[in-house]
Amino acid sequence: MDRVRTAPGGVRASARVLARGDGRGGTVLPVLEGDGPLAVRRTRGSGAEARVMLVGAMSGPLGGDHFTVTARAADGARLSVGSAAATLALPGQDKAGARYDVRLGVDEDAELNWLPEQLISADGSDLRVTTSVDVASGARLLLREEQVLGRAGEEPGRLTSRLTVRIDGRCVLDQELACGPGAPGGWDGPAGLAGHRAVGQLVVVRPGFATGPPAARVFEEGAAVLPLAGPAALVTAVAPDALRLRRLLDGALASLD
Amino acid sequence: MTRAALLVLADGRFPAGGHAHSGGAEAAVRAGRITDAASLESFCRGRLHTSGVVAACVAAAAALGVDPGQLDRAADARTPSPALRVAARRLGRQLMRAARATWPSPELDALASRFPKGAHQPVVLGLAARAAGLGPLDAAYCSLYEGVSGPATAVVRLLGLDPFDATGVLARLSDDMDRVAQEAVETGERVVTDGVDVLPARSAPLLEIGAEAHAAWAVRLFAS
């Protein structure tokens, strides 16, 4: 608990995961640690894969909190990270916004599936998320992000989420979504979300995309498969709610195989 | 610095091919999301603060002399839709032809030979502004204005919207354009010292999805 500091602003907490291939076709976790509201647990994986669950994310982040999660799949590791529940951004007593930073790395010959549950932006909250992924050439990545604007029937809080993906040091995706009260004008208009309350992204990096990228297409009107300028594809989707968003993303992902 | 050159570059009749593109408005009209002046304004405001601000920052940085290759890659990373990347390069190639004929410059020649299939339009716009003796603020204004006047003009044709109403929309966006143009210059100056990662990356989900839907139509009035 020594890295938890409750400065006047809020809680600072971090979690770290490092996965390595064990040389015998399995994956070990030499680093698996979290503090305060960020706990990490190894759960049963299948085959060569190690599966990790982020637990307890329901308790925040509140205004003023700063969470950092770092995960790296190295040396042929197969790592899959999920979360036990949705993350709920809530207003804090502190007027300052909250931050949630995710730093991911995937080495050559390794694979990372980053599949947390939704991020829900509750009324009055103010959260800035940054997700930055460094992928080596030859590595595989599946990353899912889902943002839900407000709990049922509730106005959303302020949410800014930036997603950056580098392959072999070269940036292939840099995009930021800003929504909620105080976001730049037009965020909920015909160019932005047009009243949709769930928005999500999948990033898929596969070495095979270098020679055979998936075709760009629209998937059931609310989603599009977008081959990026590199061996990667983005699926971007909007939906009225979290359930329909997940269905769209799952369907679009299945269509890549 | 010459104010007249700014008018030449910003003029909708400057032969750079922009009139063939709706900036996503055709897809939004078909989807029923733009139906009148109010929804057009909301569309344009959303565009201005997402792909618009990104383009303006790229144009300002190019006008300040930042390496066009780096800016072009940064624009690619901020344009996940392949249909929009193709449109941006096509517009870049057309602007390149017009700009080289209007303001001959070794920098434009070098860019043209480096990107024979076209660089992203804001990169070319920034270098065209330099060639015309204009600065980063001019480049940012040109980029922003074009980014909203294109959809406004397109919607006059697509919906039969009263041109006075469409022009009123553009006038009501002036304050936002002034603010964003200043921001773009400040960002462009930071790019000179800190590199292209400081460029903004704001995105509009329905512009990306709509662009792919639009590209798949068999018949359409506008190229994008």
Side-chain angles (χ1 to χ4, degrees), chain A residues 124-180:
Chain A
S125 67
D126 181 0
L127 175 65
R128 180 169 187 88
V129 182
T130 68
T131 303
S132 175
V133 196
D134 270 294
V135 183
S137 65
R140 291 168 68 91
L141 169 76
L142 170 61
L143 175 147
R144 181 180 68 213
E145 284 192 346
E146 296 163 306
Q147 295 90 14
V148 179
L149 309 189
R151 290 166 290 194
E154 177 188 63
E155 288 301 305
R158 172 83 191 262
L159 176 65
T160 306
S161 181
R162 187 159 182 169
L163 171 61
T164 310
V165 179
R166 286 186 169 72
I167 300 177
D168 220 10
R170 177 176 168 165
C171 186
V172 298
L173 177 67
D174 194 348
Q175 71 164 27
E176 182 179 276
L177 180 76
C179 48

Side-chain angles (χ1 to χ4, degrees), chain B residues 17-68:
Chain B
H19 63 276
H21 295 258
S22 78
E26 186 169 26
V29 166
R30 169 82 71 94
R33 293 195 293 268
I34 298 178
T35 54
D36 54 14
S39 46
L40 170 65
E41 181 173 339
S42 178
F43 176 87
C44 288
R45 206 177 290 280
R47 199 170 191 276
L48 177 73
H49 288 293
T50 54
S51 56
V53 63
V54 174
C57 290
V58 169
L64 285 163
V66 174
D67 174 55

